[in-house]
Amino acid sequence: MTVPTPGAMAVTTSPQASAAALDKALRSQRSEVYPHQVWYLVGSFIALVALFHWVSWVATQLSKKSRLPRGRATAHAQDVEAGAQPTKPTQFSVRRLPLALVNLYRVVAFRCTLQIGSSYTLNLAEVFLTCAYIVALFTWNFINTTDVYGGKLDISYWANRAGSIATSQFPLVTVLGTKNNVLSYITGISYDKLNYIHRMTARVTFVLLWVHAGAKLSTATSAEFGEWWARAGLAGMIAFSVLILVSLRPIRARAYELFFFTHFMMVLIFLIGGWYHANQFQMGYYMWPCFVIWALDRVIRVARVLIFNHLYFLFSPKSSSLDASIELLSPECVRLRMERPSHFRWRAGQTAYLIMPGVSSTPFEAHPFTIASICDAPGKTPIVSDSEKQVVKHTEGWNELVFLINVRGGFTKRLAEAANLDQKAKVLVDGPYGFTPDLDNDDTVVLVSGGSGVSFTLATFSDTVNRVRDGRSKCRRVVFIWSIRDPSQMEWISTALGDALEAAPPELDVSVMVHITSRPGGTSGRPRSVSPMSMISMIEFPSVQVVGGRPDFQVLLKEEAETTSGRMSVTVCGSQAIARACRAALKFPTSSPASVTKGGPDVVLHVESFGYA
Ligand SMILES: Cc1cc2nc3c(=O)[nH]c(=O)nc-3n(C[C@H](O)[C@H](O)[C@H](O)COP(=O)(O)OP(=O)(O)OC[C@H]3O[C@@H](n4cnc5c(N)ncnc54)[C@H](O)[C@@H]3O)c2cc1C
């Protein structure tokens, strides 16, 4: 056979040599092209999710514009006061079929779950995504691996390809693990929810990298082992293995700081080793963007900390105004309050990272907490109705950051100890983070929380009241369900909740249910101080009920769905058990396509969790 060369000289090669050349060309070409194809799939999926997000955003904005005029909302409130039930059509309507299908999708994708152990729950959307990702990566890795001689599953075809496909995924894995990530902005999914996909993609690529490394270790010559790029790759793999081990949930949950620092160090070793290794094969362009993405996230975080806390860094005499007051409200709850740093604005339910050098054991320790207060421009006059404008007392925390912090074993325990000293503490704030649900279009807003999860629902409740009052929300009924172990815990929010209740406009139908779950005498064996004052101040409001025992979500949510027409949202922030109970309650028949086609409510469930770590 004659093969033309660049020098125009024809070189005659044997059929075996040309078959070997073709074999090599084929596997190299596939190793290069298949990672691109995986990216087309991943990119198309992200684009699809982003498209759904933006279409739904536009639909929400348009629907806000066609909101009920205030007069009709008031008329509804009068009907409710008169005891009238909203009338709902009970006839099947074909026009509601698309909405019924959307509800069916929500129930199947997000409310049907797979329980792994006692504390790990995956919804079907997550299960599907995980399976699809595994199938995609492994299919691309093992298809077309028959060599030119007819040998099936030729190792030289899939071994290197496994390395290149896995390497190609690292920019994605890195983006998903950052707090300030572009995917969050284009898909509207909070960074903490994307963290599941970060871990999942990292683990799948880890297995694929070991497929590559295992195959190479079994076939490499000792000369190849001596090469620096092989050693760099191996060092990277060892670091990645340690990283995967410490990121397992039991270790993460028990020793977060160990996980955090090991993660940092191992990622660094892995990326440097991985870059040297991949660059040897002209694939460094998949690795260096990881450094850029990571550095960008850090730069944004540092910039935020510097901007929001500049008084500290400029050693300004006014810096003491940023110091936070910390109070131990009960043995299990600390309230931290600080003046809103200038320029710091947030939406109800968003999170901020707190860095407290005097409390933390390490300088880079930052803990996320939900801001329990809402942000309002100072001096803004809330409006009660179009005709009559009156100043309403500002809700507690209007212009300050308030956090309700559950006392756990590390940083929060030290914070509780510091609270006992009754001194102010220096706090650096980084945030706000997270995308919170837009409830403006919901006719009924149900907020469910347990314990310190109330920081999310309290802020959302105050914000909903505020937005209804300003005519920004069409909500007509808001239900606030809070489960606590002990009546004394009502003190955590009694003032803020009372202020929000006072500020609620008459057209808003409000129901607050506080469930005390411990039996009289307490269940923990620890003496608890009952606080009759906070209880009395809360039950003074006719809309507040304090009841014993756990809430029966099947009954409560079914009742709400039966009396709601239009859109009903249920936002949950609490333990896994509460989230599970709400998911179960909002399956069929409470939220079924059949009920939607007959005029039943369009039900949306938002589950917020404090435990992504
Ligand atoms: C988005 C978000 C919002 C949150 N909002 C609140 C809130 O409003 N109120 C509240 O009480 N708690 C909230 N948490 C939980 C809170 O961050 C942790 O309980 C706290 O960091 C525990 O600190 P520790 O050192 O005392 O914990 P440890 O006793 O050491 O561990 C307890 C648990 O907290 C996790 N954890 C520890 N450190 C961190 C960290 N830096 N980042 C994330 N998780 C960590 C551990 O993995 C473990 O599961 C929130 C968590 C997240 C992710």
Side-chain angles (χ1 to χ4, degrees):
M1 188 173 184
T2 306
V3 178
T5 61
M9 288 262 294
V11 179
T12 305
T13 55
S14 66
Q16 289 91 332
S18 57
L22 178 63
D23 202 47
K24 186 169 183 220
L26 272 179
R27 49 177 203 259
S28 305
Q29 190 249 359
R30 286 174 192 164
S31 285
E32 195 185 325
V33 171
Y34 285 7
H36 297 174
Q37 294 178 359
V38 174
W39 259 108
Y40 296 145
L41 178 80
V42 171
S44 309
F45 178 74
I46 294 170
L48 193 70
V49 176
L51 185 74
F52 275 124
H53 167 63
W54 287 106
V55 167
S56 124
W57 184 82
V58 170
T60 307
Q61 300 310 310
L62 291 177
S63 159
K64 276 186 193 175
K65 289 206 171 129
S66 59
R67 183 171 302 145
L68 271 180
R70 186 172 289 275
R72 280 185 59 194
T74 313
H76 164 82
Q78 284 160 358
D79 286 351
V80 171
E81 273 175 32
Q85 291 297 321
T87 50
K88 283 198 287 185
T90 48
Q91 290 285 310
F92 174 84
S93 162
V94 180
R95 287 172 58 193
R96 290 182 64 84
L97 217 49
L99 195 58
L101 289 176
V102 171
N103 273 266
L104 176 67
Y105 160 73
R106 287 191 197 126
V107 172
V108 173
F110 302 111
R111 292 173 217 163
C112 294
T113 54
L114 187 73
Q115 186 69 32
I116 304 166
S118 59
S119 64
Y120 202 59
T121 309
L122 287 180
N123 61 42
L124 283 197
E126 289 168 335
V127 173
F128 169 78
L129 202 63
T130 306
C131 294
Y133 192 69
I134 294 172
V135 168
L137 261 58
F138 280 83
T139 304
W140 255 293
N141 197 53
F142 289 105
I143 48 162
N144 294 332
T145 48
T146 304
D147 60 29
V148 291
Y149 313 104
K152 293 201 182 305
L153 271 181
D154 185 329
I155 191 169
S156 62
Y157 272 68
W158 53 259
N160 282 338
R161 203 193 294 171
S164 51
I165 290 179
T167 306
S168 75
Q169 294 302 294
F170 283 106
L172 176 72
V173 177
T174 313
V175 170
L176 290 166
T178 53
K179 309 263 176 310
N180 301 285
N181 79 61
V182 65
L183 290 184
S184 251
Y185 287 98
I186 64 172
T187 60
I189 305 173
S190 277
Y191 79 94
D192 51 317
K193 296 206 169 83
L194 288 180
N195 203 269
Y196 164 75
I197 312 178
H198 164 69
R199 293 195 303 268
M200 181 274 283
T201 48
R203 284 165 186 168
V204 176
T205 47
F206 171 73
V207 174
L208 203 56
L209 269 191
W210 265 118
V211 168
H212 166 70
K216 287 287 158 188
L217 285 173
S218 65
T219 55
T221 60
S222 52
E224 278 173 325
F225 275 128
E227 296 283 355
W228 60 267
W229 51 263
R231 291 180 180 185
L234 198 59
M237 269 320 290
I238 293 168
F240 198 7
S241 307
V242 174
L243 170 55
I244 290 289
L245 198 72
V246 293
S247 69
L248 292 176
R249 179 172 277 250
I251 300 181
R252 252 183 16 245
R254 282 192 190 90
Y256 188 85
E257 296 308 320
L258 171 79
F259 153 74
F260 183 82
F261 287 104
T262 314
H263 184 283
F264 177 82
M265 291 311 298
M266 295 303 124
V267 165
L268 204 64
I269 298 172
F270 170 73
L271 288 182
I272 294 172
W275 181 80
Y276 272 114
H277 186 84
N279 208 34
Q280 176 71 14
F281 305 97
Q282 287 75 50
M283 275 186 291
Y285 61 88
Y286 284 128
M287 296 304 279
W288 65 255
C290 302
F291 290 101
V292 176
I293 294 162
W294 180 85
L296 198 65
D297 179 46
R298 294 286 136 172
V299 167
I300 296 173
R301 293 187 72 182
V302 169
R304 277 181 157 154
V305 170
L306 290 178
I307 291 168
F308 295 136
N309 309 280
H310 64 276
L311 293 180
Y312 280 137
F313 295 105
L314 297 177
F315 300 103
S316 159
K318 288 192 215 148
S319 68
S320 60
S321 69
L322 291 182
D323 290 354
S325 69
I326 35 180
E327 309 150 70
L328 191 63
L329 296 181
S330 66
E332 57 283 281
C333 183
V334 170
R335 180 166 56 194
L336 186 146
R337 306 157 70 125
M338 60 181 290
E339 203 174 291
R340 180 173 71 89
S342 51
H343 317 302
F344 189 96
R345 300 194 61 77
W346 71 99
R347 286 192 312 279
Q350 280 194 298
T351 301
Y353 276 76
L354 300 184
I355 304 159
M356 299 185 70
V359 177
S360 305
S361 53
T362 53
F364 301 108
E365 201 175 334
H367 290 262
F369 296 102
T370 306
I371 308 167
S373 51
I374 56 172
C375 177
D376 211 29
K380 186 173 175 186
T381 307
I383 297 166
V384 166
S385 73
D386 287 342
S387 55
E388 155 203 34
K389 291 186 178 177
Q390 82 182 66
V391 178
V392 176
K393 187 180 161 196
H394 273 180
T395 300
E396 183 190 358
W398 238 226
N399 199 27
E400 64 179 358
L401 293 168
V402 179
F403 299 90
L404 293 171
I405 298 172
N406 192 16
V407 179
R408 310 284 299 258
F411 167 82
T412 52
K413 194 172 172 204
R414 291 191 295 276
L415 191 65
E417 285 159 10
N420 274 329
L421 301 177
D422 210 18
Q423 285 170 354
K424 290 215 155 197
K426 294 216 177 312
V427 185
L428 302 178
V429 187
D430 168 25
Y433 289 104
F435 292 100
T436 50
D438 182 344
L439 309 179
D440 284 351
N441 262 341
D442 303 342
D443 300 270
T444 298
V445 169
V446 181
L447 303 167
V448 178
S449 61
S452 61
V454 76
S455 32
F456 189 93
T457 53
L458 176 66
T460 311
F461 179 77
S462 305
D463 188 53
T464 304
V465 166
N466 216 13
R467 296 178 83 82
V468 172
R469 209 179 48 211
D470 294 355
R472 285 178 285 165
S473 162
K474 71 184 255 194
C475 175
R476 293 176 294 172
R477 176 166 164 78
V478 57
V479 181
F480 182 92
I481 305 171
W482 185 32
S483 297
I484 45 175
R485 291 217 186 101
D486 190 279
S488 67
Q489 294 175 338
M490 283 165 67
E491 209 167 289
W492 299 357
I493 63 159
S494 58
T495 316
L497 188 72
D499 286 348
L501 287 170
E502 267 179 27
E507 69 264 26
L508 183 66
D509 178 18
V510 179
S511 168
V512 173
M513 277 173 266
V514 180
H515 287 258
I516 317 279
T517 58
S518 66
R519 275 176 275 116
T523 49
S524 68
R526 208 177 336 159
R528 285 164 190 272
S529 60
V530 180
S531 157
M533 280 321 290
S534 58
M535 201 150 157
I536 289 167
S537 70
M538 267 169 84
I539 55 180
E540 270 173 3
F541 292 93
S543 50
V544 176
Q545 285 171 269
V546 179
V547 280
R550 292 179 177 201
D552 185 341
F553 291 111
Q554 286 286 356
V555 172
L556 289 172
L557 298 182
K558 187 163 180 275
E559 273 173 14
E560 286 306 324
E562 279 170 1
T563 51
T564 300
S565 54
R567 194 173 145 105
M568 165 172 144
S569 67
V570 178
T571 304
V572 185
C573 188
S575 64
Q576 288 263 358
I578 292 185
R580 240 189 334 261
C582 290
R583 281 198 189 99
L586 292 178
K587 283 190 198 162
F588 308 141
T590 304
S591 170
S592 71
S595 90
V596 177
T597 52
K598 289 182 187 160
D602 169 22
V603 181
V604 191
L605 171 68
H606 307 283
V607 179
E608 301 297 327
S609 150
F610 284 172
Y612 82 85

